[in-house]
Amino acid sequence: LLEKFDKILSLGVKNMREEAVKIPGEIKQLIDKRRAARKKKKFEEADILRNIIKEKGFLLEDTEKGVRVRKT
């Protein structure tokens, strides 16, 4: 259905793709620490790490397939 609207309205939806985000090593380390904290059920520590990552310009989304990282 969306492709039909795209074809009619020429919105370019079909060509839209999410750009790959280059994640600095420091952020990767923080993500790994957060993952370990969650695994140990240390959710308060995991939340603190999420906020630190957010302050550094990255958002984390927990999904069934793992953590999704986006630049703010």
Side-chain angles (χ1 to χ4, degrees):
L1 182 65
L2 183 59
E3 287 181 13
K4 287 182 181 180
F5 281 119
D6 183 43
K7 190 174 183 177
I8 294 167
L9 300 174
S10 300
L11 299 173
V13 173
K14 193 173 184 179
N15 298 325
M16 289 182 186
R17 290 203 166 84
E18 194 168 309
E19 292 183 30
V21 175
K22 194 166 195 174
I23 305 168
E26 176 189 10
I27 301 300
K28 288 180 184 179
Q29 288 177 347
L30 290 169
I31 292 169
D32 289 340
K33 286 182 182 180
R34 179 179 175 269
R35 185 178 296 125
R38 286 175 50 91
K39 190 173 183 177
K40 294 177 184 176
K41 301 201 184 289
K42 296 183 177 181
F43 298 112
E44 189 173 326
E45 182 180 332
D47 288 343
I48 291 168
L49 289 165
R50 177 192 286 273
N51 288 333
I52 291 170
I53 293 166
K54 185 177 179 181
E55 288 172 3
K56 295 183 180 287
F58 292 86
L59 292 177
L60 301 182
E61 248 183 77
D62 295 314
T63 70
E64 290 180 7
K65 295 180 181 180
V67 177
R68 182 176 175 194
V69 183
R70 295 189 338 193
K71 185 103 172 102
T72 57

